[in-house]
Each structure stands twice: as structure tokens, then as C-alpha cells.
Amino acid sequence: MPDDQRLADLRKTYAQRRLSRADVRPDAVAQFRAWLDEALAAQLDEPTAFTLSTVAAGGQPSSRVVLLKGLPDDAGFLFYTNYASRKGRELAAQPLAALNFFWPGLERQVRVEGRVERAPEALSTAYFQSRPRGSQLGAWASPQSQPIEGRAALEAREAAAEAQFTGQDPLPRPPHWGGFVVRPTLIEFWQGRPSRLHDRLEYTRAAGAAGAWAIRRLAP
């Protein structure tokens, strides 16, 4: 186990880039797309991965890493999941979420906050049926976030799904599986800088509003 002093002494100086108001686009999602394109071009590991945070009815937050699967209408962040999973249940009860992308190779992160809605059924079906067959079977087999007896029980469920859908390709989409779209009301761009004096630019817009984003600089 690492001692606390070793952990306390771990630090890195960020000095690759800077971020100013003159550098960014007026539209927050367009600016995110530009940064995502740079992350993809840099061939970073899992550039579409982000931490998704939701809140239970009692106020307990929970987080997990999921993958971005699109930016529909250039106005939302799309991901897919089991609607009966913990995150799916929490989003159904409280349709608000926070996202965090971290690209250490570029010394950047992006925070997103917004309201959440289910993706159109046709979009979810088209994506589901484009996945590898094993992933399609896994969505049928896994009672995501529910207790199971062991790995053998999960593999038995997978074998049962394989038997059920023998000869079908692609599989039908499970009714409990599909997409969510996060409609952002806040997007913050963070660029690491020396001496922990990082650059932070925050875009905000009222929920459901169209038109211009308000942009302001935040202290690090």
C-alpha cells in the first residue's frame, strides 16, 4: 500500500497549451466537437470515454465510465445502456446528469451538465443491431446492476440467449436497452496550466433554450 506522503508528493506540471476566449467557438457543442477531434487525432486511449454521474432519489450520487456514441443534432451527448440498470433507473426518476471527459495526453478535461431524455427508438435499434453479435447477446443476457450468483450464472444466461436467437442476425433490440441523450445546459472547458493556474471557460444556457451561449472565465 502506498504511504500517504508518496501520494501527496505526486504532481505534474501542465504546460502544453493555453485557452483563451479568442480560441473558442461561440457554440459549446461545436467547441466540444473540435476538442474531441483533437483527442481522436492524438490517438489517445479511449477518447470517447467519460464519467457519467447520476443521483438517486435520496440524494446519493453515483458515477461510472461509459462511452460517447454520438452528438445528435449537434445539440446533445448520446450514450447507450440497460434502462433497468442503476443509472437507467436513476435517470428515469431524476433526468439530470453530469459528464466528465478527461484527456490527460492533452492536459484537458470537459465537464457537461444537463437534462436527459431517451433517444428515439429507431436510433437505439439501429445502433443496437450494428453492434457485434456478442454484444447483442450480452445485452439480452445481463440483468445489469442486479445481484447474480456467479460468473457461471451469467454465462448460462448468455448460452440461453444464444439458443433463443439461433439463426437470427441481427438480434431484436431488448425493450430494456437503448440510448439516452444529455441536452447540455453547462459545458466547461479546462486546460491545464503551470502553477495550477489552469484555464477554465464555462458556457451556460437555460434548459430548452436555443441560440447564443453565455461564456465566462472561471478562476482555477
Side-chain angles (χ1 to χ4, degrees):
M1 177 180 296
D3 64 76
D4 289 349
Q5 189 57 53
R6 286 180 59 198
L7 294 177
D9 288 343
L10 289 173
R11 56 180 51 84
K12 177 182 177 181
T13 297
Y14 299 118
Q16 287 188 23
R17 295 170 173 82
R18 61 184 62 194
L19 180 64
S20 72
R21 178 66 180 81
D23 296 329
V24 297
R25 291 160 170 75
D27 182 86
V29 179
Q31 178 59 37
F32 174 83
R33 188 181 288 277
W35 270 25
L36 178 60
D37 286 344
E38 289 188 44
L40 292 167
Q43 298 184 327
L44 304 180
D45 288 341
E46 298 287 9
T48 63
F50 64 91
T51 300
L52 169 70
S53 297
T54 57
V55 181
Q60 174 63 51
S62 61
S63 298
R64 73 289 289 163
V65 176
V66 299
L67 299 178
L68 180 69
K69 291 300 180 180
L71 295 165
D73 307 320
D74 286 329
F77 294 74
L78 172 65
F79 66 94
Y80 293 93
T81 190
N82 185 318
Y83 289 139
S85 66
R86 176 173 177 175
K87 58 184 173 296
R89 297 193 307 271
E90 290 182 352
L91 288 172
Q94 179 68 281
L96 298 170
L99 288 56
N100 193 88
F101 295 83
F102 181 45
W103 299 311
L106 298 176
E107 300 176 354
R108 287 174 171 170
Q109 63 178 319
V110 180
R111 291 196 316 107
V112 180
E113 297 175 7
R115 296 196 63 81
V116 181
E117 61 192 45
R118 282 198 181 190
E121 295 284 325
L123 183 64
S124 291
T125 298
Y127 174 71
F128 179 82
Q129 294 184 335
S130 75
R131 304 172 84 204
R133 182 177 178 82
S135 297
Q136 295 179 44
L137 289 168
W140 278 101
S142 175
Q144 192 176 108
S145 301
Q146 301 302 314
I148 57 173
E149 294 178 0
R151 181 76 192 184
L154 186 61
E155 291 173 351
R157 291 177 64 97
E158 181 186 31
E162 179 67 81
Q164 178 183 354
F165 295 112
T166 297
Q168 293 191 51
D169 188 22
L171 276 59
R173 177 175 62 88
H176 58 261
W177 191 98
F180 282 111
V181 180
V182 181
R183 301 293 184 186
T185 55
L186 179 152
I187 303 182
E188 179 194 323
F189 297 87
W190 180 99
Q191 178 69 63
R193 297 294 304 279
S195 303
R196 298 298 185 261
L197 295 178
H198 311 302
D199 289 329
R200 297 174 63 190
L201 292 180
E202 179 192 75
Y203 291 68
T204 55
R205 186 166 68 183
W213 290 82
I215 305 174
R216 62 181 180 177
R217 176 175 285 272
L218 304 178

